[in-house]
Amino acid sequence: MAVWNGQGFDPVRVAVVGLGYWGPNLVRNLNELPDAHLVSVCDVRAEALERVTRRYPTVEATTSFSDLLADDRIEALAIATPVSTHHPLVTAGLAAGKHVFVEKPLAASVAEATDLVALAERQRLVLMPGHTFLYSPPVNTIKALIDAGELGDIYFISTSRVNLGLHQPDVSVAWDLAPHDFSILRYWLEQVPTHVSALSRCCVLPDIPDVAFINLEFAVGAIAHVELSWLAPSKLRRTTIVGSQKMVVYDDVSNEPVRVFDSGVMPRDPETFGEYRLSYRTGDIVSKQVDVVEPLLLEMSDFCMAIRTGVEPRSSHDIGLDVVRMVEAVDASLATDGTRVEIAEQPAI
Ligand SMILES: NC(=O)c1ccc[n+]([C@@H]2O[C@H](COP(=O)([O-])OP(=O)(O)OC[C@H]3O[C@@H](n4cnc5c(N)ncnc54)[C@H](O)[C@@H]3O)[C@@H](O)[C@H]2O)c1
């Protein structure tokens, strides 16, 4: 995917809400993008506004979200506030006729996410969750390999997303980090798992789970294991995909992020009844060439394109809702001592 550049349309007039850890990245990318015109920024904390306006002096600033809603110049909001605020802020934005991009996860429950999707559809406005990894070049290189059948049937996928920090005060490690891996799995396999089971522990703070081990089962037969933690000696962003033809190691912190292994195991015809012999194949290892472009720039470009052309963004509200369904199923499993929980069909909206 390349950055879309307007093709004769006016740049989308946008405001960014929430300038904590992540919001300034939205500001920087929207400011660089020819398809967008950053009109205003908003945060309830004046010092957060000051930090951004010192860098972007022509951008207007307000501590009042209602100011943005009443401003007819603003067509779209990009929201990076804590998860508990997503439902009220997105609802108000859509009700005021603004297109909304909201950081992952779309909302704090399936009920809230369903409500937002229904409102966006009624208002005929773009509602886009911020699943940044769907725009990551390595993730898309692997998507192309899977779609081309190069890996064969996907047997299993195993991921580790662990680091020392950042402990979040209001959400568990699953609500914070699982949306990344869940959105990637949903994108690669084009389906939601049928069953989820999970194990978690509050190691540092009471009532805030900071480590989670999650198992997922997909109808295509693939299984996945997702390991998440804010408590680890070193940063790992590593995914292994094992297919019937080839295997892939995706390491997001390596300068060779996608390595394809022409390796596998095949049962050979038994020579006598009941005797199984295996043939192991270890062939070439290829490091795939991957584009160097910031995923967030492509994501913001896709948001603008969706607004101007009506084409659904890659990070669609359906994916956003599915990811929330998966995380809520993790909570249901944790609440019942790690039992295997079925994920029901997506509710009709
Ligand atoms: N896509 C990614 O890779 C990525 C990475 C980090 C965080 N995030 C997401 O970004 C969002 C924000 O996370 P963060 O770590 O930046 O949080 P944060 O707490 O650092 O920042 C949130 C900011 O929102 C402001 N805020 C809260 N309520 C507000 C309101 N009603 N109006 C205006 N401002 C308000 C706060 O003052 C704060 O400055 C979360 O949804 C998180 O999951 C996404």
Side-chain angles (χ1 to χ4, degrees):
M1 174 182 265
V3 170
W4 183 65
N5 72 23
Q7 292 159 1
F9 293 105
D10 287 342
V12 175
R13 296 181 304 279
V14 57
V16 172
V17 186
L19 304 172
Y21 166 67
W22 193 249
N25 293 323
L26 299 182
V27 170
R28 178 171 50 78
N29 280 285
L30 284 166
N31 198 57
E32 274 177 29
L33 201 63
D35 315 330
H37 172 57
L38 181 62
V39 177
S40 186
V41 289
C42 169
D43 198 294
V44 287
R45 294 180 305 119
E47 67 273 20
L49 285 176
E50 256 170 53
R51 256 200 316 275
V52 168
T53 49
R54 224 176 299 131
R55 206 151 167 195
Y56 305 96
T58 57
V59 174
E60 296 169 28
T62 177
T63 52
S64 161
F65 181 65
S66 325
D67 283 355
L68 304 180
L69 300 181
D71 188 334
D72 288 339
R73 293 170 307 159
I74 295 169
E75 302 170 85
L77 302 173
I79 298 177
T81 57
V83 181
S84 57
T85 66
H86 288 184
H87 183 261
L89 295 181
V90 175
T91 301
L94 291 170
K98 317 286 187 199
H99 301 282
V100 179
F101 167 91
V102 60
E103 264 310 329
K104 59 82 194 165
L106 176 56
S109 68
V110 173
E112 284 185 4
T114 308
D115 192 49
L116 296 180
V117 169
L119 180 58
E121 286 186 353
R122 275 203 308 279
Q123 296 280 80
R124 297 180 186 277
L125 291 165
V126 175
L127 168 62
M128 175 172 170
H131 290 302
T132 326
F133 279 93
L134 305 195
Y135 299 88
S136 139
V139 167
N140 280 289
T141 299
I142 295 167
K143 168 83 172 149
L145 291 171
I146 293 173
D147 288 354
E150 270 204 52
L151 308 186
D153 292 337
I154 305 299
Y155 288 148
F156 66 88
I157 300 177
S158 155
T159 83
S160 293
R161 186 175 298 277
V162 305
N163 200 11
L164 196 60
L166 299 165
H167 270 76
Q168 303 290 319
D170 60 338
V171 291
S172 67
V173 73
W175 279 95
D176 183 38
L177 297 183
H180 292 314
D181 298 293
F182 288 0
S183 60
I184 294 170
L185 290 169
R186 161 69 170 76
Y187 179 53
W188 281 345
L189 301 177
E190 295 180 1
Q191 56 182 261
V192 173
T194 56
H195 294 85
V196 172
S197 58
L199 195 61
S200 177
R201 187 172 174 194
C202 308
C203 303
V204 176
L205 296 171
D207 307 324
I208 303 272
D210 46 19
V211 56
F213 303 126
I214 301 164
N215 294 321
L216 308 161
E217 299 164 47
F218 291 85
V220 277
I223 58 173
H225 178 75
V226 176
E227 176 196 3
L228 307 168
S229 170
W230 296 317
L231 201 61
S234 53
K235 179 170 175 164
L236 284 183
R237 297 283 183 266
R238 194 182 155 96
T239 301
T240 305
I241 305 143
V242 174
S244 56
Q245 299 301 320
K246 288 185 182 171
M247 305 178 184
V248 174
V249 174
Y250 160 35
D251 184 346
D252 207 45
V253 293
S254 161
N255 52 12
E256 290 189 347
V258 181
R259 287 189 305 148
V260 183
F261 294 72
D262 187 8
S263 303
V265 186
M266 295 285 288
R268 278 195 265 161
D269 287 342
E271 283 173 9
T272 58
F273 180 74
E275 182 201 3
Y276 288 96
R277 296 189 332 144
L278 299 175
S279 130
Y280 289 85
R281 179 169 47 78
T282 49
D284 291 341
I285 303 170
V286 174
S287 174
K288 297 293 281 187
Q289 198 190 335
V290 170
D291 295 342
V292 181
V293 54
E294 186 169 349
L296 203 46
L297 189 71
L298 298 177
E299 188 178 38
M300 290 295 100
S301 173
D302 203 23
F303 180 47
C304 294
M305 185 164 83
I307 292 169
R308 285 290 181 258
T309 66
V311 173
E312 185 174 64
R314 178 181 294 165
S315 182
S316 64
H317 56 48
D318 264 356
I319 291 188
L321 174 56
D322 282 344
V323 166
V324 174
R325 291 166 62 218
M326 291 164 76
V327 189
E328 203 168 86
V330 168
D331 275 356
S333 173
L334 293 175
T336 52
D337 287 335
T339 52
R340 190 166 163 265
V341 168
E342 186 176 356
I343 303 190
E345 290 289 305
Q346 190 175 121
I349 293 176

